[in-house]
């Protein structure tokens, strides 16, 4: 469990919940059910979380349901955000590039304490 998963922004406040989603470029070794990741937001540890499920999708498959839950953004803005996140990766064909839509759950003993309950 040396794997660190960094977030630059807490889209839709999702990292404050017990469970959350994230979309990343397809990597079946890194994003597999049962994997535990150290979750960091802007360099601050939030807790350790386990991958509960992974769905493989394409950029065109991001619909309102996924976009709003994951980022809080409209569909096209979410798709553009994803393209922007990976703009420095040459050669990505967004028509064929798989995306891992991952469902995480914090391991209760590691989640940062909540300010208000």
């Amino acid at each position: 469990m040396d794997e660190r998963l960094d977030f630059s922004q807490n889209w839709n406040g999702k990292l404050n919940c017990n469970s959350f989603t994230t979309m990343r470029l397809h990597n079946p070794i890194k994003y597999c059910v049962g994997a535990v990741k150290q979750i960091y937001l802007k360099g601050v540890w939030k807790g350790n979380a386990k991958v509960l499920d992974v769905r493989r999708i394409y950029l065109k498959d991001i619909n309102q349901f996924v976009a709003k839950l994951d980022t809080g953004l409209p569909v096209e803005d979410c798709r553009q955000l994803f393209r922007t996140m990976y703009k420095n990766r040459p050669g990505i064909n967004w028509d064929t590039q798989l995306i891992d839509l991952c469902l995480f759950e914090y391991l209760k003993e590691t989640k940062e304490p909540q300010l208000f309950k």
Side-chain angles (χ1 to χ4, degrees):
M1 186 204 37
D2 313 302
E3 189 78 29
R4 179 176 167 141
L5 196 57
D6 288 292
F7 290 83
S8 61
Q9 192 158 341
N10 189 5
W11 294 102
N12 204 26
K14 65 186 181 181
L15 298 178
N16 301 335
C17 300
N18 291 328
S19 300
F20 60 92
T21 60
T22 188
M23 292 185 282
R24 306 288 171 133
L25 291 182
H26 178 59
N27 184 332
I29 295 172
K30 192 172 184 178
Y31 306 114
C32 61
V33 173
V36 176
K37 309 292 181 190
Q38 299 169 355
I39 307 303
Y40 282 82
L41 173 61
K42 298 179 183 176
V44 177
W45 180 74
K46 298 286 289 177
N48 297 334
K50 183 181 201 176
V51 178
L52 297 181
D53 198 3
V54 180
R55 302 289 165 101
R56 272 62 172 179
I57 64 172
Y58 296 99
L59 193 67
K60 66 178 175 52
D61 296 328
I62 296 175
N63 57 22
Q64 179 172 292
F65 190 90
V66 170
K68 288 291 186 180
L69 280 176
D70 193 68
T71 64
L73 297 173
V75 173
E76 279 311 312
D77 292 349
C78 179
R79 289 177 182 161
Q80 186 55 46
L81 170 69
F82 203 80
R83 286 186 205 97
T84 301
M85 283 173 45
Y86 294 103
K87 69 181 178 209
N88 294 329
R89 296 262 181 110
I92 293 180
N93 178 343
W94 290 112
D95 292 328
T96 59
Q97 174 65 53
L98 279 171
I99 296 168
D100 290 337
L101 173 60
C102 304
L103 175 62
F104 280 88
E105 181 176 58
Y106 281 110
L107 301 176
K108 293 193 185 342
E109 65 274 9
T110 69
K111 187 166 181 343
E112 68 175 358
Q114 294 183 355
L115 189 57
F116 304 104
K117 293 190 179 196

